[in-house]
Every structure is written in structure tokens, then in C-alpha cells.
Amino acid sequence: MELEHRTIRPLAYGYVRDLPELQADAVVQLKSELVRFAHQEGFTLAEVFVEQRWLHTVAWDALATSCKQHGVRNVIVPDYRHLHSLPGLSFVMQQVIEDVIDGRVWCARSDAAVEEVTAASVGSAAE
């Protein structure tokens, strides 16, 4: 009898802000996008935390708490705007959550603005 070899994938959580400009069904589509991204990157998406009210942090706080309680060290967001609408502050939020979870924040969609801010921040820190 041959045993099937399965690799255990690390867990990841998703985080989505229900942004004012999103259509009614957009959150469902974003969750699907996060699931696909997680699978492609070798993660199992355990849960997606959705911030329901603009400028509130209830889901953010629950995400951080759950990461610490369950040892989850990967968080996936659709793009930088789900951390903050301004690229510079989004980068700060990314650093905050990475410090809290001792892990990494992944963006399912790459965005040149975040990459530029990251590069500028790294460049200025190195000077």
C-alpha cells in the first residue's frame, strides 16, 4: 500500500478593507483572489478578516490577535490600499503588522507605487 505524500502548507490570513469605492460583490471577488494567490505561493488561506467600516480597525486588531494566538506569520492583502490609501502610510502599516506577527505581508497584486515607496524608504535608510 502506497501512502500519498502531502506537503503541509503554512497558514496565511487575508485582510481586506471594504473600501468605499468597492462594488457590493467586490469583497467576495477579493477573497477568491486571495485564495488563488495563497495557493500559488504555497499557503493555505485559513481566514480572511474584513474591515467593514472605513477608518476602523476592528478586523485589523482581530487579525493581529489571531496571528499571535495561532502562530500565523503570513498575511495577504489584495494591494497596498487595503493597508492604507496612501502608499507611504501603507508601507508603515506593512512594517507594523510584520513586526507584530514576526512575519510577512504579501500583496496579491503588485503595485508600482508601493514598490517605489519601499525602494525610497530602503534607499534613505541606507544613506
Side-chain angles (χ1 to χ4, degrees):
M1 178 197 280
E2 188 175 317
L3 293 176
E4 184 179 326
H5 177 70
R6 292 185 183 203
T7 303
I8 297 174
R9 294 170 168 250
L11 294 180
Y13 287 144
Y15 179 77
V16 173
R17 280 192 184 273
D18 194 354
L19 302 168
E21 67 268 16
L22 292 179
Q23 305 268 333
D25 64 343
V27 171
V28 172
Q29 292 173 350
L30 289 171
K31 285 181 178 181
S32 295
E33 188 177 318
L34 296 182
V35 168
R36 280 191 303 277
F37 179 84
H39 183 73
Q40 289 172 340
E41 295 297 322
F43 299 112
T44 297
L45 191 65
E47 187 172 349
V48 176
F49 293 81
V50 179
E51 204 68 73
Q52 299 291 334
R53 297 186 62 198
W54 186 239
L55 299 178
H56 285 242
T57 61
V58 174
W60 175 266
D61 294 339
L63 168 72
T65 299
S66 192
C67 281
K68 287 192 271 184
Q69 285 177 344
H70 302 288
V72 174
R73 297 179 58 189
N74 293 285
V75 172
I76 305 168
V77 297
D79 60 55
Y80 78 89
R81 295 170 303 158
H82 290 268
L83 296 174
H84 197 283
S85 59
L86 298 174
L89 291 178
S90 175
F91 179 73
V92 170
M93 293 297 287
Q94 177 182 345
Q95 295 303 302
V96 167
I97 193 67
E98 287 178 346
D99 287 346
V100 168
I101 68 172
D102 192 26
R104 181 167 177 193
V105 174
W106 302 76
C107 285
R109 291 183 231 138
S110 64
D111 187 281
V114 171
E115 292 168 8
E116 288 171 15
V117 168
T118 303
S121 298
V122 170
S124 63
E127 294 172 357

